[in-house]
Amino acid sequence: MTMMIELIEETWFLARELVSDEYDQALARLAREVPMTIHEYPSGTPVWTWTVPEKWTCHEAYLETLDGRRIIDRADHPLHVVSYSLPFEGVVGRDELLRHLHTHPEDPSLIPFVFKYYQRDWGLCLPQNVLDLLDEEEYRVVIRTTFEPGTLKVGEVVVPGELEESFMLAAHLCHPAMVNDDLTGVVVGLDVMRALLAGPKPRYTYRFLILPETIGSVSYLSHHENLIPSMVGGLFLEMLGNDSGLALQQSFMPGSQTDKILVAALSGAAPDAFVGPYRTIINNDERQFNAPGVRVPMLSLSRVERPETLESMYRPYPEYHSSADTPAIVTSERLEAARDAVLEMLAAFDRNSYVVNHFKGEVFASGHGIWIDYRTNPEGHRNLFQIMERCDGSRTVADIALELGISFQAVWEIVTRFAEKNLVSFSPRPQPTDPDRPQAL
Amino acid sequence: MTMMIELIEETWFLARELVSDEYDQALARLAREVPMTIHEYPSGTPVWTWTVPEKWTCHEAYLETLDGRRIIDRADHPLHVVSYSLPFEGVVGRDELLRHLHTHPEDPSLIPFVFKYYQRDWGLCLPQNVLDLLDEEEYRVVIRTTFEPGTLKVGEVVVPGELEESFMLAAHLCHPAMVNDDLTGVVVGLDVMRALLAGPKPRYTYRFLILPETIGSVSYLSHHENLIPSMVGGLFLEMLGNDSGLALQQSFMPGSQTDKILVAALSGAAPDAFVGPYRTIINNDERQFNAPGVRVPMLSLSRVERPETLESMYRPYPEYHSSADTPAIVTSERLEAARDAVLEMLAAFDRNSYVVNHFKGEVFASGHGIWIDYRTNPEGHRNLFQIMERCDGSRTVADIALELGISFQAVWEIVTRFAEKNLVSFSPRPQPTDPDRPQAL
Amino acid sequence: MTMMIELIEETWFLARELVSDEYDQALARLAREVPMTIHEYPSGTPVWTWTVPEKWTCHEAYLETLDGRRIIDRADHPLHVVSYSLPFEGVVGRDELLRHLHTHPEDPSLIPFVFKYYQRDWGLCLPQNVLDLLDEEEYRVVIRTTFEPGTLKVGEVVVPGELEESFMLAAHLCHPAMVNDDLTGVVVGLDVMRALLAGPKPRYTYRFLILPETIGSVSYLSHHENLIPSMVGGLFLEMLGNDSGLALQQSFMPGSQTDKILVAALSGAAPDAFVGPYRTIINNDERQFNAPGVRVPMLSLSRVERPETLESMYRPYPEYHSSADTPAIVTSERLEAARDAVLEMLAAFDRNSYVVNHFKGEVFASGHGIWIDYRTNPEGHRNLFQIMERCDGSRTVADIALELGISFQAVWEIVTRFAEKNLVSFSPRPQPTDPDRPQAL
């Protein structure tokens, strides 16, 4: 079993474009780690309001002076060419050239990541420092790219559960020669699936999708419309290796059980994690899952520098969308911590149930060996009774956790003690036990 | 077609009492501008818990010294006599006289507007400055008023729509010899109706009522109980020409679609307008429409000096309820701005619909020519996607506008672009398109 | 009829232990004041998850020096022995002795109240000042207690109403030789029942339970499961004679009609009273009534020194759970004020109804003699109209009071004036009078 960081090292520098040989090569490498189904959608296939794009290949690209001095060469770094750039060959004047050159808006030493999937244009990317040296009148540009029919590929790893209802994990793989965004989400998701596959059969079915951003989700969903009604929740993964705290972005339906469970479980797994509303931390494939006609409550987990600011959406970490997004900025420890947090959230998801009381009144706690002394553990004592009084067949573990502002795990620990004493049982459906009574009026 | 300001000039100085010849004269003048039905309710008719009052006429009234020097004469200004004053003729001592004289509480140069519709008393009104000069022992009072059977008149202008469901506009006409309160509401309503009559047939039916305050609304409603269930919303108009910003008072049911539409549309038409809860800006006939057993969500539009203070209810503008409320304090521009704001609110009311998506997932925006570039228009880009994800057959245009805190017009502009591309259609009924799915638990 | 303060003087110094002769003696004394049913539950009876404890008797107990000098003697004060202490006789070293001695955590002059109902241990209580003098190596301990079968007793006073639905009052009697906690709640409840019995037959049935804390409630409820669905509300009484303001703790279901009524009525009866959420002021038998499977909305009334702090739960007044809790700290005036507040709350509970309008529109107030002049009483005028517009058959008196933030009594005064004029009637069920109308959209 290859470690996450090793998988990153093996595949990061590939030019993993939306539909491309190097994307396929990376996906094939990952498919050696877990059983994976690879769905293929041919170029030109209509997928809802979209169309699967052509395969794009860059055979060669460089910028040179008329006397043959190379300024930049795509052989050095895939980011030197705008993704899905048109081919172009010729001598251009300096002014025209500048209209086709792209630099990083903040750091003059970095090559930016620029893509023009749907604008027909050619372009090159380079550090501002290099651009500043361009003082000749004319330059030669060579961009030899081809557009041709191919197949967009979505890798799917499935852990079958007792139920057909599925939890959807997703990560995109289409960011060429970068690591934190997006390879880290992919390898964390993969490691999560390896752990689930090694464990006992879960209640829910878990599906992990590796795909090109947006168009991959649309392609998969539009070809699996029959599955959509059984997708009961989801989590998108991205940017999980950099030096920032974990940030959980809620779904479009923040009152969903999925939202409640993941929020309450993360507060137990990573108490310092930030939780923010939909579309306030980062935008990714969860948009397709939350969209009209799909409406899967998919949250998103990432590491973001200042998640509380909307500005951070455009620069979630300093190396974002640039040639500085390399293995040097991620660590195994942070990847593993993210993986463990995801596993705790999924464990909670799999466990969450209605808690049905077999008791009436307050339980004789000391008689049942579940007493917590308020003198030595006042918070535990308080939680014990506040959880007990919410075990009524109409609240789930996540409901109780959110009502009390404590973690899913803390509630779980108490209710399993109750269950051991046969004071409660768990049910997938509400079973209210409160007496049916007319309201006083 | 007579301009609003001209109608004001022609009719303002009439003594438009609740039931009176000069009220009828004013209403008849207005009926020359638009097709109008005049409903008549004879004095003594029971109307719900009220009774239609008698016609009141003041033939002559003055206060003079015993040697015949006139202090005040009703021939100079209708406000010199308390509305619905009992007749009185005789010589009275100074002390008794003072108990029947009324002055303005703030400005010693103004005649106040005082009415005693249901208290049987006689009285005269005059500037404090004049009262201060009364130093004789006795004065002669002549108030020659008559009470006799008449008919209370309500003018109704109707713009028939495709639906029987009606939007109710209302304004009162019963404030003698004053302009901002209440003639401005009447002429703005009239101009709104002229515009609607000149346009294409609307979806809803629009009805504009011109009436004496309170008793007029009660008379009309109690005689049109069959129409009440089809009155789906309303707007009361008053004080629309003075030098203050527009203030919209919500209905008793602030969550109604009518409230949502009018609030969201006014924020597009007049972004600086003030919006406040029911009974906090000004009290008028909307009270009868919002009352139990009627419950039409009727809002109220006016120009109020400090609408955020409850004190302003008693003095919404400096000239309120006094002889200073003349044509000099209103301008055509302000009347036209108010009319245009009303027309925008009604246009929104007529358009508001559920937005039913024909798409799933996010729309391929650039492919459908609806892309808004986030680099040049970040707010527009954000709105585009946030509106798109709320087009789900369960939200109206007004719902979406309120959820996002943007104007009705801004949402309308986007959804009509979607509709042109056949991405959405409009429906008068909810048509939810989201998959029916078990909640995760 | 014995006054509350006299009943306290007669019974306070009894060692009213959970199951004990002196508890029975106190209950028998109270039963001479009102018709009372005494329910008996034999020791060992399973009551839900609990078991009725044995009867406990302390025949004699003292601590003395080996030369026979008595340090403390239970004959002086029942609190000198831990409630439900095991028997013990022997000479013990000073260190071991200290492990069985209990003092007050704050005040060195007081004997604390310590109970070990379910921990099998022996123990004595004494002032810290006395303990500090213990400098000998060994002492003689004599605790002659016996555990034997007995019956736990619950006194029940019933005022039958027109309806079987019951309002539950409760107070505990099991705190030995103390007054404010808990005898004051008992005598206030008793006086409330005497007043109800002397009055006309109420609508609801009222039941007052006098019981040992927690186990008494569990015993009664588990033996009256058939009654639980008809218990429509409740109020626990305790600590009502000390020198603090009244504090009302809401039930677990703060949106219940019972909560609304009691909160709105207390705001009329005692405008300065504090109102706080469930489990934030004091914990008592209301926990058993609010618990899962029972869910009676039972509030709790007490006098608490700083009810807004959670710390006050552990020391609601300075003499709490100590030998200083004597008749000296309670007054008749405070007991009577508490009783009157309870009676006002129960009067409101009995009266609360839906208010059904017989009018439409606003009522012609002056014509019906219900006008309130806004110039002399602006708040009354405002209340009149704001109450009127909420009389629509879908709101109770308590709903209206809570919506407007005014007292139950203030609303009641207005709606009874309406009822006298036949403008409204009262109904135990909603009877909405508003027209059924399509929403505008």
Side-chain angles (χ1 to χ4, degrees):
Chain A
M1 195 178 85
T2 319
M3 285 180 59
M4 291 188 279
I5 201 79
E6 293 167 346
L7 285 171
I8 286 173
E9 278 155 12
E10 281 185 52
T11 57
W12 81 275
F13 205 64
L14 290 169
R16 293 169 274 107
E17 304 288 350
L18 298 181
V19 179
S20 65
D21 288 337
E22 294 189 46
Y23 175 97
D24 295 353
Q25 190 180 328
L27 191 63
R29 172 64 192 88
L30 298 167
R32 282 164 43 201
E33 296 297 315
V34 284
M36 187 187 290
T37 302
I38 295 183
H39 305 278
E40 302 196 32
Y41 306 102
S43 302
T45 307
V47 285
W48 286 342
T49 62
W50 303 67
T51 305
V52 175
E54 288 177 293
K55 170 176 160 185
W56 180 77
T57 312
C58 183
H59 303 280
E60 185 183 27
Y62 53 84
L63 173 69
E64 62 179 16
T65 57
L66 295 193
D67 56 4
R69 188 165 43 85
R70 293 257 162 130
I71 313 292
I72 56 174
D73 192 329
R74 200 253 182 188
D76 299 330
H77 205 295
L79 289 182
H80 274 313
V81 181
V82 165
S83 288
Y84 277 72
S85 168
L86 294 180
F88 183 83
E89 248 173 286
V91 172
V92 294
R94 192 173 171 280
D95 284 355
E96 196 198 335
L97 175 64
L98 286 179
R99 284 196 292 277
H100 292 272
L101 295 187
H102 304 273
T103 60
H104 193 278
E106 315 248 346
D107 188 328
S109 70
L110 304 181
I111 314 169
F113 170 38
V114 178
F115 47 88
K116 301 210 169 184
Y117 302 133
Y118 306 108
Q119 302 144 276
R120 309 296 288 171
D121 197 5
W122 64 265
L124 295 169
C125 301
L126 74 173
Q128 182 71 42
N129 290 343
V130 175
L131 183 144
D132 288 343
L133 303 174
L134 298 181
D135 54 3
E136 310 208 355
E137 303 248 314
E138 292 189 317
Y139 288 88
R140 176 184 311 278
V141 172
V142 172
I143 302 178
R144 294 207 301 108
T145 58
T146 52
F147 290 79
E148 64 194 304
T151 65
L152 180 157
K153 295 188 183 60
V154 174
E156 180 176 24
V157 184
V158 181
V159 181
E162 290 167 15
L163 301 172
E164 303 252 316
E165 274 89 37
S166 298
F167 186 92
M168 308 302 295
L169 289 155
H172 57 66
L173 180 66
C174 62
H175 282 25
M178 285 172 286
V179 173
N180 193 47
D181 178 13
D182 53 3
L183 255 187
T184 59
V186 173
V187 298
V188 165
L190 205 72
D191 224 32
V192 163
M193 297 312 275
R194 288 196 287 212
L196 292 182
L197 286 164
K201 186 171 194 168
R203 182 159 57 142
Y204 288 104
T205 294
Y206 292 82
R207 297 174 186 275
F208 175 41
L209 302 178
I210 303 170
L211 33 69
E213 190 172 358
T214 303
I215 185 66
S217 293
V218 173
S219 297
Y220 177 88
L221 286 167
S222 63
H223 281 79
H224 292 83
E225 292 207 8
N226 61 317
L227 281 184
I228 291 175
S230 68
M231 296 179 186
V232 289
L235 182 65
F236 181 82
L237 300 172
E238 186 190 69
M239 308 190 310
L240 291 168
N242 56 309
D243 186 18
S244 297
L246 288 168
L248 182 67
Q249 178 179 277
Q250 291 202 246
S251 84
F252 184 70
M253 293 138 280
S256 74
Q257 279 289 320
T258 301
D259 280 74
K260 288 184 179 182
I261 300 164
L262 269 52
V263 167
L266 186 62
S267 91
D272 296 334
F274 179 85
V275 178
Y278 189 58
R279 277 188 191 273
T280 65
I281 296 181
I282 202 79
N283 281 334
N284 276 297
D285 290 87
E286 78 285 342
R287 285 165 51 165
Q288 305 311 317
F289 286 82
N290 281 290
V294 187
R295 287 284 194 254
V296 176
M298 182 178 273
L299 294 83
S300 160
L301 186 71
S302 47
R303 292 182 181 276
V304 173
E305 204 172 11
R306 300 184 51 226
E308 72 284 6
T309 63
L310 280 177
E311 292 70 32
S312 76
M313 282 196 135
Y314 299 102
R315 211 178 180 200
Y317 58 101
E319 302 83 3
Y320 175 72
H321 277 201
S322 82
S323 53
D325 191 345
T326 70
I329 68 164
V330 311
T331 71
S332 279
E333 289 67 30
R334 296 194 290 255
L335 295 173
E336 286 159 12
R339 175 202 60 201
D340 293 346
V342 174
L343 283 169
E344 282 215 48
M345 288 192 273
L346 298 190
F349 189 85
D350 221 57
R351 284 168 170 170
N352 189 46
S353 293
Y354 288 91
V355 189
V356 185
N357 53 315
H358 301 173
F359 62 88
K360 294 181 182 183
E362 280 188 358
V363 171
F364 178 27
S366 53
H368 286 79
I370 55 171
W371 173 261
I372 294 172
D373 195 321
Y374 63 89
R375 285 159 299 203
T376 55
N377 183 1
E379 200 183 321
H381 173 89
R382 191 180 168 80
N383 284 349
L384 174 75
F385 283 98
Q386 294 205 328
I387 291 167
M388 185 193 292
E389 79 190 349
R390 284 167 175 79
C391 296
D392 60 7
S394 76
R395 290 167 165 93
T396 64
V397 177
D399 289 332
I400 296 173
L402 265 283
E403 275 187 39
L404 295 177
I406 59 182
S407 73
F408 186 98
Q409 291 86 336
V411 177
W412 183 251
E413 188 193 327
I414 297 284
V415 295
T416 49
R417 288 173 69 182
F418 293 173
E420 282 161 18
K421 305 290 179 182
N422 200 29
L423 292 167
V424 302
S425 58
F426 298 110
S427 164
R429 301 278 165 267
Q431 293 186 24
T433 62
D434 292 337
D436 190 19
R437 148 189 12 255
Q439 271 249 53
L441 82 168
Chain B
M1 196 179 86
T2 320
M3 284 180 59
M4 292 188 278
I5 201 78
E6 293 168 346
L7 285 171
I8 286 173
E9 277 154 12
E10 283 186 51
T11 58
W12 82 275
F13 206 65
L14 291 169
R16 294 168 273 109
E17 304 287 350
L18 297 180
V19 180
S20 65
D21 288 338
E22 294 190 46
Y23 175 97
D24 296 353
Q25 190 179 330
L27 190 62
R29 172 63 192 88
L30 298 167
R32 283 164 43 202
E33 296 296 315
V34 282
M36 187 187 291
T37 302
I38 295 183
H39 305 278
E40 302 197 31
Y41 306 103
S43 301
T45 308
V47 285
W48 285 343
T49 62
W50 303 65
T51 305
V52 176
E54 288 177 293
K55 171 176 160 184
W56 180 79
T57 312
C58 184
H59 305 278
E60 183 183 30
Y62 54 85
L63 172 69
E64 63 178 17
T65 56
L66 296 192
D67 57 3
R69 189 168 40 87
R70 293 257 163 129
I71 312 293
I72 56 175
D73 192 331
R74 198 252 184 188
D76 299 329
H77 205 294
L79 288 181
H80 274 313
V81 180
V82 165
S83 289
Y84 276 72
S85 168
L86 295 179
F88 182 85
E89 249 174 287
V91 171
V92 294
R94 193 175 169 279
D95 284 355
E96 194 198 337
L97 174 65
L98 285 179
R99 285 197 290 278
H100 293 273
L101 296 186
H102 305 272
T103 59
H104 193 277
E106 315 248 346
D107 188 328
S109 70
L110 304 182
I111 314 169
F113 169 38
V114 178
F115 47 90
K116 300 210 170 185
Y117 301 134
Y118 306 109
Q119 301 145 276
R120 309 295 288 173
D121 196 6
W122 65 266
L124 296 169
C125 302
L126 72 175
Q128 182 70 41
N129 290 342
V130 175
L131 183 144
D132 289 343
L133 303 175
L134 298 180
D135 54 5
E136 310 209 354
E137 301 247 316
E138 293 187 316
Y139 289 88
R140 175 184 311 279
V141 172
V142 172
I143 304 178
R144 295 207 301 107
T145 58
T146 51
F147 291 78
E148 63 193 303
T151 63
L152 180 155
K153 294 187 185 60
V154 175
E156 181 176 23
V157 185
V158 181
V159 181
E162 290 166 18
L163 301 171
E164 302 252 316
E165 274 87 38
S166 298
F167 186 92
M168 308 301 295
L169 289 155
H172 57 64
L173 181 66
C174 63
H175 282 26
M178 286 172 286
V179 173
N180 192 45
D181 178 13
D182 54 2
L183 255 187
T184 58
V186 173
V187 298
V188 165
L190 204 73
D191 225 31
V192 163
M193 297 312 274
R194 289 195 287 213
L196 292 182
L197 286 164
K201 186 171 196 169
R203 181 158 60 140
Y204 288 104
T205 294
Y206 292 82
R207 295 173 187 276
F208 175 42
L209 303 177
I210 303 171
L211 32 70
E213 189 173 358
T214 303
I215 185 65
S217 292
V218 172
S219 297
Y220 177 88
L221 286 168
S222 63
H223 281 78
H224 291 83
E225 291 207 8
N226 61 318
L227 280 186
I228 291 176
S230 68
M231 297 178 185
V232 289
L235 182 65
F236 181 82
L237 300 172
E238 186 190 68
M239 308 191 310
L240 292 168
N242 57 309
D243 185 18
S244 297
L246 289 169
L248 181 67
Q249 178 179 277
Q250 291 203 246
S251 84
F252 183 69
M253 294 138 281
S256 74
Q257 279 290 319
T258 301
D259 281 74
K260 288 183 179 182
I261 300 164
L262 269 52
V263 167
L266 185 61
S267 90
D272 296 333
F274 179 86
V275 178
Y278 189 58
R279 276 187 191 275
T280 65
I281 296 181
I282 202 77
N283 281 335
N284 277 297
D285 290 88
E286 78 286 342
R287 285 166 50 165
Q288 305 310 317
F289 286 83
N290 281 289
V294 187
R295 287 283 194 254
V296 176
M298 182 179 274
L299 294 84
S300 160
L301 186 72
S302 47
R303 293 183 180 275
V304 173
E305 203 172 9
R306 299 182 54 224
E308 73 284 4
T309 65
L310 281 176
E311 292 70 31
S312 75
M313 281 196 137
Y314 299 101
R315 210 179 180 199
Y317 58 101
E319 302 83 2
Y320 175 73
H321 277 199
S322 82
S323 54
D325 190 344
T326 71
I329 68 164
V330 310
T331 70
S332 280
E333 289 67 29
R334 295 196 289 256
L335 295 172
E336 287 159 12
R339 176 203 58 201
D340 293 345
V342 174
L343 283 170
E344 283 215 48
M345 289 192 274
L346 299 190
F349 189 84
D350 221 57
R351 284 169 171 170
N352 189 45
S353 294
Y354 289 90
V355 190
V356 185
N357 54 315
H358 302 173
F359 61 88
K360 295 182 181 182
E362 282 189 357
V363 171
F364 177 28
S366 54
H368 286 78
I370 55 172
W371 172 261
I372 294 172
D373 195 320
Y374 63 89
R375 284 158 299 202
T376 56
N377 183 0
E379 201 182 319
H381 174 90
R382 192 179 167 81
N383 284 349
L384 174 75
F385 283 99
Q386 294 205 329
I387 292 167
M388 184 192 293
E389 79 191 348
R390 284 167 174 80
C391 296
D392 59 8
S394 75
R395 290 166 163 95
T396 64
V397 176
D399 289 332
I400 296 173
L402 265 284
E403 275 186 40
L404 295 177
I406 58 183
S407 73
F408 186 97
Q409 292 85 336
V411 177
W412 183 252
E413 189 194 327
I414 297 283
V415 295
T416 48
R417 287 172 70 183
F418 292 172
E420 282 161 19
K421 305 291 179 180
N422 201 29
L423 292 167
V424 303
S425 58
F426 298 109
S427 164
R429 301 277 165 266
Q431 293 186 26
T433 62
D434 292 338
D436 189 21
R437 151 193 5 259
Q439 269 249 54
L441 81 167
Chain C
M1 195 179 84
T2 320
M3 285 179 58
M4 291 188 279
I5 201 78
E6 294 167 346
L7 285 171
I8 286 173
E9 277 154 13
E10 282 186 52
T11 57
W12 81 276
F13 206 64
L14 290 169
R16 294 169 273 105
E17 304 288 350
L18 297 181
V19 179
S20 65
D21 288 339
E22 295 189 45
Y23 174 98
D24 295 354
Q25 191 179 327
L27 191 62
R29 172 63 192 89
L30 298 167
R32 283 165 43 202
E33 296 296 315
V34 282
M36 187 186 293
T37 302
I38 295 184
H39 304 280
E40 303 196 30
Y41 306 103
S43 301
T45 307
V47 286
W48 286 342
T49 61
W50 303 65
T51 304
V52 175
E54 288 177 292
K55 170 178 161 185
W56 181 77
T57 312
C58 183
H59 304 280
E60 185 182 27
Y62 54 83
L63 172 68
E64 62 179 16
T65 56
L66 295 193
D67 57 3
R69 189 166 42 85
R70 293 259 162 128
I71 312 292
I72 57 172
D73 192 331
R74 199 254 183 188
D76 299 330
H77 204 295
L79 288 182
H80 274 314
V81 181
V82 165
S83 287
Y84 276 72
S85 168
L86 294 180
F88 182 83
E89 249 173 286
V91 171
V92 294
R94 191 175 171 280
D95 283 356
E96 194 197 338
L97 175 64
L98 286 179
R99 286 196 290 276
H100 292 272
L101 296 185
H102 303 274
T103 59
H104 193 277
E106 316 247 347
D107 188 328
S109 71
L110 304 181
I111 315 170
F113 169 38
V114 179
F115 47 88
K116 301 209 169 186
Y117 302 133
Y118 305 109
Q119 300 144 276
R120 308 296 286 172
D121 196 5
W122 64 266
L124 296 169
C125 301
L126 72 175
Q128 181 70 42
N129 290 343
V130 177
L131 184 145
D132 289 344
L133 304 175
L134 299 181
D135 54 5
E136 310 209 355
E137 302 247 316
E138 292 188 316
Y139 288 89
R140 176 183 310 280
V141 172
V142 172
I143 303 178
R144 295 206 302 107
T145 58
T146 51
F147 291 79
E148 64 193 304
T151 64
L152 180 156
K153 294 186 185 59
V154 174
E156 180 175 24
V157 185
V158 180
V159 181
E162 291 166 16
L163 301 172
E164 303 251 316
E165 274 89 37
S166 298
F167 186 92
M168 308 302 296
L169 289 155
H172 57 65
L173 183 65
C174 62
H175 282 26
M178 285 172 286
V179 173
N180 193 46
D181 178 12
D182 54 4
L183 254 186
T184 58
V186 173
V187 299
V188 166
L190 206 73
D191 224 33
V192 164
M193 297 312 275
R194 290 195 287 213
L196 292 183
L197 286 163
K201 187 171 194 167
R203 181 159 58 141
Y204 287 104
T205 293
Y206 292 82
R207 298 173 186 276
F208 175 41
L209 303 178
I210 304 171
L211 32 70
E213 190 173 359
T214 303
I215 185 67
S217 293
V218 172
S219 297
Y220 178 89
L221 286 168
S222 63
H223 281 78
H224 292 83
E225 291 208 8
N226 61 319
L227 282 185
I228 291 175
S230 67
M231 297 179 185
V232 289
L235 181 65
F236 182 82
L237 301 172
E238 187 190 67
M239 310 191 309
L240 292 168
N242 57 308
D243 185 19
S244 295
L246 289 169
L248 181 67
Q249 178 179 276
Q250 291 202 246
S251 83
F252 183 70
M253 292 138 281
S256 74
Q257 279 290 319
T258 302
D259 280 74
K260 288 184 179 181
I261 300 164
L262 269 54
V263 167
L266 185 61
S267 90
D272 296 334
F274 179 86
V275 178
Y278 190 59
R279 276 187 191 276
T280 64
I281 295 180
I282 202 78
N283 281 334
N284 276 295
D285 290 88
E286 78 286 343
R287 285 164 51 164
Q288 305 311 316
F289 286 82
N290 281 289
V294 187
R295 288 283 194 254
V296 177
M298 182 178 273
L299 293 84
S300 161
L301 186 71
S302 47
R303 292 183 181 276
V304 172
E305 204 171 13
R306 299 181 54 224
E308 73 284 6
T309 64
L310 281 176
E311 292 70 34
S312 75
M313 282 196 135
Y314 299 101
R315 211 175 179 202
Y317 57 100
E319 303 83 4
Y320 175 73
H321 278 200
S322 82
S323 53
D325 190 344
T326 72
I329 68 165
V330 311
T331 71
S332 279
E333 289 68 30
R334 295 195 290 255
L335 295 172
E336 287 159 12
R339 176 202 59 201
D340 293 345
V342 173
L343 283 169
E344 283 216 48
M345 288 192 274
L346 298 190
F349 189 84
D350 221 57
R351 283 168 171 171
N352 189 45
S353 293
Y354 288 90
V355 190
V356 185
N357 54 314
H358 302 174
F359 62 88
K360 295 181 182 184
E362 282 189 357
V363 172
F364 177 29
S366 54
H368 286 80
I370 55 172
W371 172 261
I372 294 172
D373 195 321
Y374 63 90
R375 284 159 300 202
T376 57
N377 183 359
E379 200 183 321
H381 174 89
R382 191 180 169 81
N383 284 349
L384 174 75
F385 283 99
Q386 293 206 329
I387 292 168
M388 183 192 293
E389 78 190 347
R390 285 168 175 77
C391 296
D392 59 8
S394 75
R395 290 165 163 95
T396 66
V397 177
D399 289 332
I400 295 173
L402 265 284
E403 274 186 41
L404 295 178
I406 58 183
S407 73
F408 186 96
Q409 291 87 335
V411 178
W412 183 252
E413 189 193 328
I414 298 283
V415 294
T416 49
R417 287 172 71 183
F418 292 172
E420 282 161 19
K421 305 290 179 181
N422 200 29
L423 293 167
V424 303
S425 58
F426 298 109
S427 164
R429 302 277 164 267
Q431 292 187 25
T433 62
D434 291 337
D436 189 19
R437 151 195 3 261
Q439 269 250 52
L441 81 166

